[in-house]
Amino acid sequence: MIVSTASGVAGSTVLPFVEREVAELQRRLAQLRPRLLAEAEAGVVRVLNGLETADLVHIASHGHFDRESPDQSCLYLADGRLSLDRLKSVFPHRMRLVFLSCCESGVAGRSSIPDEFVGLLPSLLQCGAEAAIGTLWPVYDDAAMLCAVRF
């Protein structure tokens, strides 16, 4: 499953390289027939439903890590925020790989339990992903596209 939200949410910058990133991934993964959720189709409910059956997942959108309240970290999709709470509600499913081409998607903070970390990647791993890739900092859209395509 490939999720693309090039424009993000109101007030966020447009991601001009997402379309190119997605086109290249579709070309390279053509034999797997990836399901594409683009722009308006890439809403929270559709992405959550897709995560329940996907084997490989690539999400290109805006992301945010909330340092004050890590549980409020999220991915911005076409119709709103995919928060950690919603992400954790996904029925555990074995995904081989989740690649988040989103800012701060790899950052994790400590939970109230000292040896646990809270963030998008730990949540995906708890939901059944065998491997998850994200970024630890804000990233330019062109660099995110190159990283995803080269990976």
Side-chain angles (χ1 to χ4, degrees):
M1 176 176 75
I2 298 174
V3 177
S4 159
T5 56
S7 58
V9 293
S12 65
T13 58
V14 172
L15 301 172
F17 288 90
V18 166
E19 190 173 308
R20 188 169 160 193
E21 178 177 341
V22 168
E24 182 62 21
L25 289 173
Q26 283 186 296
R27 186 184 70 74
R28 290 181 183 209
L29 300 172
Q31 72 279 8
L32 300 176
R33 295 188 207 159
R35 180 175 24 158
L36 174 63
L37 296 177
E39 295 300 328
E41 291 182 318
V44 173
V45 172
R46 291 199 66 192
V47 170
L48 284 173
N49 289 340
L51 287 176
E52 291 181 358
T53 59
D55 187 37
L56 299 172
V57 177
H58 176 269
I59 299 177
S61 72
H62 287 285
H64 172 70
F65 179 74
D66 189 324
R67 284 160 179 52
E68 297 297 317
S69 181
D71 284 326
Q72 297 303 311
S73 300
C74 65
L75 297 173
Y76 292 102
L77 300 177
D79 60 355
R81 299 165 21 112
L82 175 53
S83 65
L84 285 182
D85 291 341
R86 295 286 304 271
L87 189 59
K88 290 177 184 177
S89 72
V90 174
F91 182 80
H93 168 70
R94 289 202 78 117
M95 296 170 273
R96 286 189 6 214
L97 173 66
V98 178
F99 191 104
L100 300 178
S101 191
C102 315
C103 289
E104 300 180 338
S105 55
V107 181
R110 289 192 183 265
S111 70
S112 58
I113 301 171
D115 62 343
E116 289 188 6
F117 289 91
V118 178
L120 295 166
L121 294 185
S123 294
L124 286 164
L125 294 170
Q126 290 171 354
C127 290
E130 293 177 15
I133 297 171
T135 65
L136 297 174
W137 49 83
V139 61
Y140 288 110
D141 188 43
D142 56 348
M145 182 267 304
L146 288 172
C147 182
V149 169
R150 299 252 163 97
F151 180 80

